[in-house]
Amino acid sequence: MSHLVRSTLWLGFFGAILASWWVMYSMSMDMDLDLLGRPGEMGARMAAMDPRMPMYMPMANFGPLFWMWAIMMAAMMLPTLVPTLRSYEDLMLSADGTRAGWLGVILGYFIVWVGFAALITGVQLGLLFGGVIDMLGIAKTNVFAGLLLVAVGAFQFSRAKEICHGVCHSPVSYFLGHWKTGLFGGLRMGLGLGAFCVGCCWGFMALGFVGGVMSLAWMGLATLFMVLEKLPQIGHAVTKPMGAILVVAGLAVLAWPYIGGL
């Protein structure tokens, strides 16, 4: 029975990942965007709209925008949770872990990321009404896009990134230092791990304002890199090189208006 329960829970977990990506795809198609986030005729008209227009626009209202980000959090962050859940399972025998605790870790992790979804929704609305991004969540100027790329790239070299990534990269150490049993014990550990993962990965979410928050290709690439950062064998080896790539890309974006015509 335990093997059946384990298999059922893992199937449900991966089913939730697939479902969240399908919903993201459906939302992207409804907004007339292709897989790269490029708008068609209707999408281009939407991007050019003024968010202060009296008509109701979901992308200029907190509720619909928050649910969009919450679904994106599920689609992007649940895959990165796989190494953490496997680490918990490894400790279920040696440290009296329970399946309820396993579920608690997922719940705590998800609560933190839904909270971050609310925060970044507020950020997007502030940028939108400030004229920095368009209705599709894409930067209107090279200056903002370039500076954001440089900022996220520089963060990859920071002490804060090192600490947060260390916890996300090696969840076993976190579990051993904060071990609690049962559903609420798993919930507490999930909340802690989720907080460190927000500190580690917030920048890749913010880069949606560069490549498009509804670009499946762009956000899928961000998800892939966040998964790579958590892999035990290569996680530490990819963090700073990616930071360097982002900084160079940001400088290129900033310089493009001056060299593009040469």
PDB file of all heavy atoms in Angstrom, residues 192-220:
ATOM      1  N   GLY A 192      10.286  27.429   5.469  1.00  0.00           N
ATOM      2  CA  GLY A 192      11.681  27.880   5.523  1.00  0.00           C
ATOM      3  C   GLY A 192      12.401  27.672   4.211  1.00  0.00           C
ATOM      4  O   GLY A 192      13.083  28.578   3.708  1.00  0.00           O
ATOM      5  N   LEU A 193      12.249  26.488   3.647  1.00  0.00           N
ATOM      6  CA  LEU A 193      12.889  26.216   2.355  1.00  0.00           C
ATOM      7  C   LEU A 193      12.339  27.129   1.268  1.00  0.00           C
ATOM      8  O   LEU A 193      13.094  27.622   0.421  1.00  0.00           O
ATOM      9  CB  LEU A 193      12.665  24.751   1.967  1.00  0.00           C
ATOM     10  CG  LEU A 193      13.545  23.725   2.671  1.00  0.00           C
ATOM     11  CD1 LEU A 193      13.013  22.319   2.431  1.00  0.00           C
ATOM     12  CD2 LEU A 193      14.985  23.827   2.182  1.00  0.00           C
ATOM     13  N   GLY A 194      11.031  27.372   1.286  1.00  0.00           N
ATOM     14  CA  GLY A 194      10.431  28.263   0.303  1.00  0.00           C
ATOM     15  C   GLY A 194      11.006  29.666   0.392  1.00  0.00           C
ATOM     16  O   GLY A 194      11.260  30.313  -0.629  1.00  0.00           O
ATOM     17  N   ALA A 195      11.223  30.146   1.632  1.00  0.00           N
ATOM     18  CA  ALA A 195      11.783  31.490   1.807  1.00  0.00           C
ATOM     19  C   ALA A 195      13.183  31.575   1.219  1.00  0.00           C
ATOM     20  O   ALA A 195      13.540  32.555   0.549  1.00  0.00           O
ATOM     21  CB  ALA A 195      11.795  31.852   3.288  1.00  0.00           C
ATOM     22  N   PHE A 196      14.005  30.559   1.464  1.00  0.00           N
ATOM     23  CA  PHE A 196      15.354  30.564   0.896  1.00  0.00           C
ATOM     24  C   PHE A 196      15.306  30.469  -0.631  1.00  0.00           C
ATOM     25  O   PHE A 196      16.132  31.079  -1.324  1.00  0.00           O
ATOM     26  CB  PHE A 196      16.182  29.419   1.479  1.00  0.00           C
ATOM     27  CG  PHE A 196      16.789  29.727   2.815  1.00  0.00           C
ATOM     28  CD1 PHE A 196      16.288  29.136   3.964  1.00  0.00           C
ATOM     29  CD2 PHE A 196      17.846  30.611   2.934  1.00  0.00           C
ATOM     30  CE1 PHE A 196      16.836  29.429   5.209  1.00  0.00           C
ATOM     31  CE2 PHE A 196      18.410  30.900   4.166  1.00  0.00           C
ATOM     32  CZ  PHE A 196      17.901  30.302   5.318  1.00  0.00           C
ATOM     33  N   CYS A 197      14.350  29.702  -1.153  1.00  0.00           N
ATOM     34  CA  CYS A 197      14.253  29.564  -2.601  1.00  0.00           C
ATOM     35  C   CYS A 197      13.771  30.855  -3.260  1.00  0.00           C
ATOM     36  O   CYS A 197      14.183  31.180  -4.376  1.00  0.00           O
ATOM     37  CB  CYS A 197      13.341  28.398  -2.970  1.00  0.00           C
ATOM     38  SG  CYS A 197      14.127  26.799  -2.724  1.00  0.00           S
ATOM     39  N   VAL A 198      12.890  31.607  -2.580  1.00  0.00           N
ATOM     40  CA  VAL A 198      12.526  32.928  -3.088  1.00  0.00           C
ATOM     41  C   VAL A 198      13.764  33.808  -3.151  1.00  0.00           C
ATOM     42  O   VAL A 198      14.009  34.508  -4.148  1.00  0.00           O
ATOM     43  CB  VAL A 198      11.442  33.578  -2.191  1.00  0.00           C
ATOM     44  CG1 VAL A 198      11.315  35.065  -2.507  1.00  0.00           C
ATOM     45  CG2 VAL A 198      10.103  32.905  -2.399  1.00  0.00           C
ATOM     46  N   GLY A 199      14.570  33.780  -2.077  1.00  0.00           N
ATOM     47  CA  GLY A 199      15.794  34.567  -2.065  1.00  0.00           C
ATOM     48  C   GLY A 199      16.765  34.151  -3.148  1.00  0.00           C
ATOM     49  O   GLY A 199      17.523  34.979  -3.668  1.00  0.00           O
ATOM     50  N   CYS A 200      16.738  32.873  -3.516  1.00  0.00           N
ATOM     51  CA  CYS A 200      17.659  32.365  -4.530  1.00  0.00           C
ATOM     52  C   CYS A 200      17.192  32.680  -5.952  1.00  0.00           C
ATOM     53  O   CYS A 200      18.004  33.010  -6.815  1.00  0.00           O
ATOM     54  CB  CYS A 200      17.809  30.853  -4.353  1.00  0.00           C
ATOM     55  SG  CYS A 200      18.954  30.058  -5.507  1.00  0.00           S
ATOM     56  N   CYS A 201      15.867  32.606  -6.187  1.00  0.00           N
ATOM     57  CA  CYS A 201      15.354  32.581  -7.561  1.00  0.00           C
ATOM     58  C   CYS A 201      14.517  33.782  -7.974  1.00  0.00           C
ATOM     59  O   CYS A 201      14.051  33.823  -9.121  1.00  0.00           O
ATOM     60  CB  CYS A 201      14.522  31.306  -7.769  1.00  0.00           C
ATOM     61  SG  CYS A 201      15.408  29.766  -7.496  1.00  0.00           S
ATOM     62  N   TRP A 202      14.325  34.756  -7.092  1.00  0.00           N
ATOM     63  CA  TRP A 202      13.444  35.875  -7.416  1.00  0.00           C
ATOM     64  C   TRP A 202      13.862  36.569  -8.709  1.00  0.00           C
ATOM     65  O   TRP A 202      13.018  37.026  -9.479  1.00  0.00           O
ATOM     66  CB  TRP A 202      13.440  36.893  -6.275  1.00  0.00           C
ATOM     67  CG  TRP A 202      14.772  37.578  -6.088  1.00  0.00           C
ATOM     68  CD1 TRP A 202      15.775  37.186  -5.262  1.00  0.00           C
ATOM     69  CD2 TRP A 202      15.238  38.745  -6.776  1.00  0.00           C
ATOM     70  NE1 TRP A 202      16.852  38.027  -5.387  1.00  0.00           N
ATOM     71  CE2 TRP A 202      16.549  39.004  -6.302  1.00  0.00           C
ATOM     72  CE3 TRP A 202      14.690  39.593  -7.730  1.00  0.00           C
ATOM     73  CZ2 TRP A 202      17.315  40.078  -6.761  1.00  0.00           C
ATOM     74  CZ3 TRP A 202      15.458  40.662  -8.199  1.00  0.00           C
ATOM     75  CH2 TRP A 202      16.745  40.905  -7.713  1.00  0.00           C
ATOM     76  N   GLY A 203      15.174  36.654  -8.955  1.00  0.00           N
ATOM     77  CA  GLY A 203      15.665  37.383 -10.119  1.00  0.00           C
ATOM     78  C   GLY A 203      15.208  36.784 -11.433  1.00  0.00           C
ATOM     79  O   GLY A 203      14.904  37.519 -12.389  1.00  0.00           O
ATOM     80  N   PHE A 204      15.131  35.456 -11.489  1.00  0.00           N
ATOM     81  CA  PHE A 204      14.726  34.814 -12.740  1.00  0.00           C
ATOM     82  C   PHE A 204      13.244  35.045 -13.020  1.00  0.00           C
ATOM     83  O   PHE A 204      12.831  35.076 -14.180  1.00  0.00           O
ATOM     84  CB  PHE A 204      15.057  33.328 -12.703  1.00  0.00           C
ATOM     85  CG  PHE A 204      16.531  33.074 -12.623  1.00  0.00           C
ATOM     86  CD1 PHE A 204      17.107  32.642 -11.444  1.00  0.00           C
ATOM     87  CD2 PHE A 204      17.349  33.315 -13.709  1.00  0.00           C
ATOM     88  CE1 PHE A 204      18.477  32.437 -11.358  1.00  0.00           C
ATOM     89  CE2 PHE A 204      18.710  33.108 -13.632  1.00  0.00           C
ATOM     90  CZ  PHE A 204      19.281  32.676 -12.442  1.00  0.00           C
ATOM     91  N   MET A 205      12.452  35.202 -11.947  1.00  0.00           N
ATOM     92  CA  MET A 205      11.061  35.587 -12.145  1.00  0.00           C
ATOM     93  C   MET A 205      10.977  37.016 -12.666  1.00  0.00           C
ATOM     94  O   MET A 205      10.221  37.321 -13.595  1.00  0.00           O
ATOM     95  CB  MET A 205      10.294  35.480 -10.826  1.00  0.00           C
ATOM     96  CG  MET A 205      10.315  34.113 -10.211  1.00  0.00           C
ATOM     97  SD  MET A 205       9.495  32.886 -11.257  1.00  0.00           S
ATOM     98  CE  MET A 205       9.717  31.412 -10.263  1.00  0.00           C
ATOM     99  N   ALA A 206      11.774  37.903 -12.058  1.00  0.00           N
ATOM    100  CA  ALA A 206      11.749  39.311 -12.460  1.00  0.00           C
ATOM    101  C   ALA A 206      12.181  39.498 -13.909  1.00  0.00           C
ATOM    102  O   ALA A 206      11.735  40.441 -14.575  1.00  0.00           O
ATOM    103  CB  ALA A 206      12.649  40.130 -11.536  1.00  0.00           C
ATOM    104  N   LEU A 207      13.014  38.598 -14.407  1.00  0.00           N
ATOM    105  CA  LEU A 207      13.458  38.724 -15.798  1.00  0.00           C
ATOM    106  C   LEU A 207      12.322  38.490 -16.788  1.00  0.00           C
ATOM    107  O   LEU A 207      12.491  38.728 -17.984  1.00  0.00           O
ATOM    108  CB  LEU A 207      14.605  37.748 -16.078  1.00  0.00           C
ATOM    109  CG  LEU A 207      15.953  38.124 -15.462  1.00  0.00           C
ATOM    110  CD1 LEU A 207      17.000  37.077 -15.811  1.00  0.00           C
ATOM    111  CD2 LEU A 207      16.404  39.499 -15.922  1.00  0.00           C
ATOM    112  N   GLY A 208      11.163  38.035 -16.293  1.00  0.00           N
ATOM    113  CA  GLY A 208       9.995  37.965 -17.159  1.00  0.00           C
ATOM    114  C   GLY A 208       9.649  39.322 -17.740  1.00  0.00           C
ATOM    115  O   GLY A 208       9.094  39.406 -18.841  1.00  0.00           O
ATOM    116  N   PHE A 209      10.005  40.398 -17.030  1.00  0.00           N
ATOM    117  CA  PHE A 209       9.734  41.738 -17.537  1.00  0.00           C
ATOM    118  C   PHE A 209      10.659  42.118 -18.690  1.00  0.00           C
ATOM    119  O   PHE A 209      10.460  43.143 -19.330  1.00  0.00           O
ATOM    120  CB  PHE A 209       9.866  42.772 -16.412  1.00  0.00           C
ATOM    121  CG  PHE A 209       8.898  42.556 -15.279  1.00  0.00           C
ATOM    122  CD1 PHE A 209       9.337  42.510 -13.968  1.00  0.00           C
ATOM    123  CD2 PHE A 209       7.545  42.365 -15.528  1.00  0.00           C
ATOM    124  CE1 PHE A 209       8.449  42.302 -12.928  1.00  0.00           C
ATOM    125  CE2 PHE A 209       6.644  42.151 -14.493  1.00  0.00           C
ATOM    126  CZ  PHE A 209       7.105  42.120 -13.189  1.00  0.00           C
ATOM    127  N   VAL A 210      11.660  41.293 -18.933  1.00  0.00           N
ATOM    128  CA  VAL A 210      12.553  41.513 -20.079  1.00  0.00           C
ATOM    129  C   VAL A 210      12.095  40.701 -21.278  1.00  0.00           C
ATOM    130  O   VAL A 210      11.893  41.216 -22.373  1.00  0.00           O
ATOM    131  CB  VAL A 210      14.013  41.148 -19.731  1.00  0.00           C
ATOM    132  CG1 VAL A 210      14.918  41.291 -20.962  1.00  0.00           C
ATOM    133  CG2 VAL A 210      14.527  42.019 -18.594  1.00  0.00           C
ATOM    134  N   GLY A 211      11.901  39.397 -21.077  1.00  0.00           N
ATOM    135  CA  GLY A 211      11.544  38.522 -22.189  1.00  0.00           C
ATOM    136  C   GLY A 211      10.060  38.297 -22.357  1.00  0.00           C
ATOM    137  O   GLY A 211       9.642  37.694 -23.349  1.00  0.00           O
ATOM    138  N   GLY A 212       9.265  38.751 -21.389  1.00  0.00           N
ATOM    139  CA  GLY A 212       7.823  38.568 -21.467  1.00  0.00           C
ATOM    140  C   GLY A 212       7.333  37.587 -20.415  1.00  0.00           C
ATOM    141  O   GLY A 212       7.729  36.413 -20.433  1.00  0.00           O
ATOM    142  N   VAL A 213       6.491  38.045 -19.505  1.00  0.00           N
ATOM    143  CA  VAL A 213       6.014  37.172 -18.433  1.00  0.00           C
ATOM    144  C   VAL A 213       5.110  36.064 -18.963  1.00  0.00           C
ATOM    145  O   VAL A 213       4.894  35.058 -18.293  1.00  0.00           O
ATOM    146  CB  VAL A 213       5.273  37.987 -17.350  1.00  0.00           C
ATOM    147  CG1 VAL A 213       6.208  38.941 -16.653  1.00  0.00           C
ATOM    148  CG2 VAL A 213       4.086  38.737 -17.934  1.00  0.00           C
ATOM    149  N   MET A 214       4.576  36.240 -20.179  1.00  0.00           N
ATOM    150  CA  MET A 214       3.735  35.216 -20.768  1.00  0.00           C
ATOM    151  C   MET A 214       4.433  34.474 -21.910  1.00  0.00           C
ATOM    152  O   MET A 214       3.790  33.765 -22.674  1.00  0.00           O
ATOM    153  CB  MET A 214       2.422  35.820 -21.278  1.00  0.00           C
ATOM    154  CG  MET A 214       1.511  36.343 -20.175  1.00  0.00           C
ATOM    155  SD  MET A 214       1.125  35.078 -18.954  1.00  0.00           S
ATOM    156  CE  MET A 214       0.278  33.872 -19.958  1.00  0.00           C
ATOM    157  N   SER A 215       5.752  34.638 -22.022  1.00  0.00           N
ATOM    158  CA  SER A 215       6.513  33.906 -23.023  1.00  0.00           C
ATOM    159  C   SER A 215       6.857  32.528 -22.468  1.00  0.00           C
ATOM    160  O   SER A 215       7.662  32.408 -21.534  1.00  0.00           O
ATOM    161  CB  SER A 215       7.795  34.665 -23.386  1.00  0.00           C
ATOM    162  OG  SER A 215       8.658  33.843 -24.147  1.00  0.00           O
ATOM    163  N   LEU A 216       6.253  31.503 -23.005  1.00  0.00           N
ATOM    164  CA  LEU A 216       6.511  30.151 -22.512  1.00  0.00           C
ATOM    165  C   LEU A 216       7.972  29.755 -22.692  1.00  0.00           C
ATOM    166  O   LEU A 216       8.553  29.071 -21.843  1.00  0.00           O
ATOM    167  CB  LEU A 216       5.597  29.158 -23.219  1.00  0.00           C
ATOM    168  CG  LEU A 216       4.090  29.308 -22.966  1.00  0.00           C
ATOM    169  CD1 LEU A 216       3.323  28.227 -23.717  1.00  0.00           C
ATOM    170  CD2 LEU A 216       3.775  29.247 -21.475  1.00  0.00           C
ATOM    171  N   ALA A 217       8.581  30.188 -23.793  1.00  0.00           N
ATOM    172  CA  ALA A 217       9.978  29.842 -24.035  1.00  0.00           C
ATOM    173  C   ALA A 217      10.886  30.519 -23.006  1.00  0.00           C
ATOM    174  O   ALA A 217      11.789  29.893 -22.442  1.00  0.00           O
ATOM    175  CB  ALA A 217      10.381  30.258 -25.452  1.00  0.00           C
ATOM    176  N   TRP A 218      10.637  31.799 -22.764  1.00  0.00           N
ATOM    177  CA  TRP A 218      11.486  32.557 -21.844  1.00  0.00           C
ATOM    178  C   TRP A 218      11.342  32.040 -20.412  1.00  0.00           C
ATOM    179  O   TRP A 218      12.341  31.785 -19.729  1.00  0.00           O
ATOM    180  CB  TRP A 218      11.117  34.041 -21.911  1.00  0.00           C
ATOM    181  CG  TRP A 218      11.950  34.937 -21.046  1.00  0.00           C
ATOM    182  CD1 TRP A 218      11.665  35.347 -19.787  1.00  0.00           C
ATOM    183  CD2 TRP A 218      13.219  35.522 -21.378  1.00  0.00           C
ATOM    184  NE1 TRP A 218      12.661  36.167 -19.312  1.00  0.00           N
ATOM    185  CE2 TRP A 218      13.623  36.285 -20.265  1.00  0.00           C
ATOM    186  CE3 TRP A 218      14.037  35.480 -22.511  1.00  0.00           C
ATOM    187  CZ2 TRP A 218      14.825  37.007 -20.243  1.00  0.00           C
ATOM    188  CZ3 TRP A 218      15.227  36.196 -22.488  1.00  0.00           C
ATOM    189  CH2 TRP A 218      15.619  36.938 -21.377  1.00  0.00           C
ATOM    190  N   MET A 219      10.106  31.851 -19.956  1.00  0.00           N
ATOM    191  CA  MET A 219       9.889  31.385 -18.595  1.00  0.00           C
ATOM    192  C   MET A 219      10.278  29.910 -18.452  1.00  0.00           C
ATOM    193  O   MET A 219      10.703  29.477 -17.389  1.00  0.00           O
ATOM    194  CB  MET A 219       8.442  31.610 -18.179  1.00  0.00           C
ATOM    195  CG  MET A 219       7.994  33.077 -18.257  1.00  0.00           C
ATOM    196  SD  MET A 219       9.131  34.245 -17.456  1.00  0.00           S
ATOM    197  CE  MET A 219       8.471  34.281 -15.791  1.00  0.00           C
ATOM    198  N   GLY A 220      10.145  29.153 -19.544  1.00  0.00           N
ATOM    199  CA  GLY A 220      10.609  27.768 -19.514  1.00  0.00           C
ATOM    200  C   GLY A 220      12.117  27.695 -19.368  1.00  0.00           C
ATOM    201  O   GLY A 220      12.651  26.842 -18.653  1.00  0.00           O
TER     202      GLY A 220
END
